[in-house]
Each structure stands twice: as structure tokens, then as C-alpha cells.
Amino acid sequence: MQRRWGGGGNRHPQSREKEEAGEIVDISEEGFWEEARGRRSEGPTTGGRDGSPSEAGGIDRFPEDTELTITSVLLLKRPKFRYRISFGPYALEVHEDVMIKYRMIKGAVFTKSELEEIVLADERQRAYADALQYLGRKPRTAYEMTLRLGEKGWNEETVAGVVGRLTEEGLLNDAAYAQEWAGQRVRNRGKGKMWVKQELRQKGISKPLIEDALGAVSEEDEYASAKELAVKKWRTSTGETADRKRKTGAFLLRRGFSGSLVSRVVRELAQGDGMSEEEEWEDI
């Protein structure tokens, strides 16, 4: 995409005063750019999902087959890092990163098709900002991110692009997520592997990644978790030993531990309570 440039010069002193006062600021002149480069995008942005929330009616209203010259560039007080780019009677709003990337300064000339490309780039940038905010709370899976961005109103193509970018950047990693989730849930939250398997399925993790993650959790870790829970349940259960076995076993099964592991743990507790090892373990 070729750019045609207008005049340069420094920012007018009145623009500085307005910026300091938090008003809309005209940053049309090229002297603004050095300061703009130093700022980084932060947080989510808002506005219409078509990338054209201005009163001029959006990119669809722009004329075809004519060159459009930027007449002003205004820094908006809110949302943060948003700029209104005017082409005479027409206007659209873009994120600062997009403005800098496409060198949208006063006097630059664009065609409508070029502006449509810019609107799509701005849409991807805003969706990406939404995604970063969502990730800022805790790690997510690709499936969770896809659902979230869809709920925010982004179209499928934009969502796929953002999820792909986040994956390439390592900010979305289903394999690492599954490994961390499985280990934490078994070791620290008292959940059996079957429970964890169902949780990971609901989070959209693929079957091979689930199997790998559960395989990385040792049998000793799962046994230790089940035994700790069983001891607590055993101590609070009442009735004969057989009744306590049933209650404790049923409790462990509900937590997602396998029948064989539950049988082993409950049998050990019963032996410690004086029941003979030969006494039959009742299926639960």
C-alpha cells in the first residue's frame, strides 16, 4: 500500500493544552508521531464492531473510486488510545497501533479499498485487546477464548485470527494448560482423574492432550490425594465399619477416583479400623 504525505510541522501549542486538559486533541501534524510511538496500547477498547462508530456513517458511506485525503486526526478522551480520522465530511475511528502502522497523518491519501483493509486491521486489534483482558484474569483454553470473543460480538474470521495470533505468541497453549490443570486438580483440589478428564473436555481440550496431561499425573499423587480425602471422610462417618466403607467409597467415586483406587484406599482404612483383610469389599 503506497502512502502520499501532506505537510509536516510541530503540534500547535493549543493542541498540547487540550491534551493536558483531557479533551479531544488534534494531532494531525507529523510532529506528534515521535510521542505517539512511545505509547503502548493498554486495556480493551470499545466502539461499534464494524470499526466505524463515527457520526459520518462508517466506511460504507465513503465514496468509491476516488482518493480520500486525511483532513484531521483527533485523539479521543474515551475510549483510550482511539483516534478519529477525518476525510472531509467522512470519518472513522481506529486504535493508535493501527493509526501508526498505516501512517494515518494529515495529508495522507487513501482509497476506500485501502481504508476497508484498515478497518479490518482495527477490528482485529480491538478483538485482540478484548482477548488480552480476558487472559489477564487467568489462563484460558483456545475454546474458552473462542467462546468469549464470540460473546463479545466478533465475527468468526476475526476470532479465528486472534486465537491463531495468541497461539503463535504462546499466550494460548492447550497442552500446557491441560498439564497444569490436571496436576493442580489432583494434587491440590482432591479430584480424581475421571473428574479432571470431564473438566478438560468441557474446556475444549482435545482427547490426545487430555490423555497426555492425565498420564503426567503419577499414580502415587492420585493415591495420596484420595487417601487424604478418605481419612477425613472416614473420621466424620458414623455407623458400623461396613457403613463407613460404603459412605467413604461413594464419596471418593463422586470425586472422580477410579473404582480400583477407591477399593484400595477404603480397604486400608478398614484394616486400620480393625476389619479383617479377608472381609469382602462391597461394590459401590
Side-chain angles (χ1 to χ4, degrees):
M1 183 187 298
Q2 297 181 345
R3 293 278 68 78
R4 281 78 66 182
W5 309 114
N10 296 324
R11 263 191 301 172
H12 193 281
Q14 290 181 351
S15 293
R16 290 182 179 275
E17 294 173 2
K18 289 181 180 180
E19 184 176 3
E20 292 172 358
E23 302 296 333
I24 293 178
V25 180
D26 187 343
I27 52 92
S28 302
E29 305 299 339
E30 195 166 0
F32 176 83
W33 282 76
E34 291 305 316
E35 293 184 24
R37 289 181 188 280
R39 289 194 297 271
R40 306 301 303 170
S41 59
E42 299 177 5
T45 58
T46 59
R49 293 310 191 204
D50 62 356
S52 53
S54 75
E55 60 273 15
I59 193 67
D60 291 341
R61 296 285 299 277
F62 281 51
E64 302 276 359
D65 302 323
T66 185
E67 291 188 334
L68 299 158
T69 302
I70 295 179
T71 54
S72 69
V73 180
L74 303 177
L75 170 62
L76 303 180
K77 183 178 180 181
R78 291 187 181 84
K80 294 174 66 177
F81 305 104
R82 299 291 295 176
Y83 294 78
R84 178 171 294 142
I85 313 296
S86 296
F87 302 80
Y90 306 97
L92 55 82
E93 293 177 12
V94 299
H95 189 275
E96 180 177 273
D97 290 351
V98 174
M99 179 193 70
I100 293 174
K101 176 180 179 180
Y102 290 95
R103 297 284 293 178
M104 303 185 79
I105 62 175
K106 185 176 181 179
V109 179
F110 297 82
T111 63
K112 182 177 180 179
S113 62
E114 290 172 339
L115 293 178
E116 289 173 338
E117 176 187 332
I118 290 172
V119 167
L120 291 176
D122 182 66
E123 179 175 304
R124 290 191 294 269
Q125 178 61 37
R126 289 184 291 134
Y128 183 74
D130 282 346
L132 291 181
Q133 183 186 40
Y134 190 48
L135 281 172
R137 301 170 190 169
K138 63 179 182 179
R140 310 288 181 175
T141 67
Y143 175 73
E144 289 176 322
M145 181 60 70
T146 298
L147 289 181
R148 176 66 173 183
L149 293 177
E151 290 170 356
K152 297 284 283 185
W154 301 110
N155 63 51
E156 292 183 5
E157 183 179 357
T158 297
V159 171
V162 171
V163 171
R165 176 181 173 183
L166 292 169
T167 301
E168 291 177 0
E169 295 172 344
L171 297 176
L172 288 179
N173 187 326
D174 281 2
Y177 184 101
Q179 295 272 345
E180 179 66 22
W181 183 271
Q184 181 192 65
R185 299 296 277 180
V186 172
R187 300 185 188 101
N188 303 328
R189 297 298 181 90
K191 304 294 186 182
K193 289 186 178 182
M194 290 190 294
W195 179 294
V196 174
K197 182 178 183 179
Q198 183 61 28
E199 287 182 322
L200 291 175
R201 282 178 176 172
Q202 293 173 349
K203 291 178 174 292
I205 302 295
S206 67
K207 183 177 180 180
L209 293 183
I210 293 176
E211 292 176 350
D212 289 344
L214 294 178
V217 179
S218 69
E219 294 181 3
E220 290 75 16
D221 283 341
E222 189 179 22
Y223 166 78
S225 181
K227 186 63 176 290
E228 182 179 357
L229 287 174
V231 168
K232 294 178 181 178
K233 182 65 176 178
W234 187 271
R235 289 173 179 171
T236 59
S237 298
T238 58
E240 299 295 329
T241 300
D243 293 328
R244 297 170 74 185
K245 286 177 61 177
R246 282 192 293 269
K247 293 175 182 178
T248 303
F251 172 73
L252 293 179
L253 289 173
R254 289 194 298 270
R255 301 284 290 193
F257 295 99
S258 67
S260 59
L261 179 57
V262 171
S263 177
R264 173 188 172 188
V265 170
V266 173
R267 183 169 58 248
E268 291 174 357
L269 289 175
Q271 291 171 6
D273 200 46
M275 178 175 280
S276 171
E277 184 174 353
E278 286 75 23
E279 292 189 59
E280 182 180 1
W281 159 250
E282 299 180 19
D283 292 334
I284 298 178

